[in-house]
Amino acid sequence: MWFLALTGVWAQTPIPLPSLWETQVSRWPVVAGVAVGEDMVFAGTLEGRLIAMEKGSGRIRWSRELQTADLATAWPECVAPLGISSQPAVWSGNVYVADGRAGIVAFRQETGEQLWRGDLSQSMAGAYIGAK
């Protein structure tokens, strides 16, 4: 099997890259990409938490609870919560993320202060924003 190394050179054996740090943010897998800001990394969890970690150390600086989808009525066979499954976006000192109720929420990167939340569901029951 062939792997593409980060240098853009084809290699037959993957080159192991050292980890700078590891931080556990959820008991469920993080299913979307993380966003990297000026000095922080942002990850969303299926439980509906947006986590801000220091880029250099992985120390959690702040965490905010967001809304999750109501799976009890929508998908009773689902065992995992359905909170954040799309990648946060970082822009101009803020971080934006989709919650589990089809809303987009904006926070200040440094403090985690919520700036606003916009509902994109137009009152559609079970609406959800996800990403592949």
Side-chain angles (χ1 to χ4, degrees):
M1 176 176 279
W2 292 86
F3 296 93
L4 180 63
L6 293 177
T7 60
V9 177
W10 287 95
Q12 200 161 9
T13 305
I15 300 169
L17 297 175
S19 251
L20 294 178
W21 50 263
E22 292 181 24
T23 301
Q24 183 170 350
V25 295
S26 173
R27 68 184 189 102
W28 298 96
V30 173
V31 297
V34 298
V36 180
E38 187 74 25
D39 58 350
M40 286 197 290
V41 176
F42 302 92
T45 71
L46 285 175
E47 292 98 344
R49 279 191 307 279
L50 179 63
I51 312 288
M53 298 161 282
E54 293 179 356
K55 192 189 296 186
S57 68
R59 184 179 73 84
I60 295 176
R61 187 175 295 175
W62 55 261
S63 172
R64 297 294 178 265
E65 296 285 331
L66 286 93
Q67 295 184 32
T68 58
D70 183 9
L71 298 180
T73 56
W75 298 293
E77 69 280 359
C78 187
V79 294
L82 198 51
I84 300 171
S85 65
S86 59
Q87 182 174 358
V90 174
W91 183 68
S92 191
N94 300 324
V95 59
Y96 305 86
V97 67
D99 66 17
R101 296 274 174 101
I104 302 294
V105 189
F107 297 93
R108 290 201 194 286
Q109 284 186 52
E110 290 298 317
T111 64
E113 172 193 357
Q114 183 173 328
L115 301 172
W116 52 262
R117 181 187 183 277
D119 185 4
L120 302 179
S121 69
Q122 299 178 6
S123 300
M124 294 170 35
Y128 183 77
I129 299 172
K132 290 186 177 186

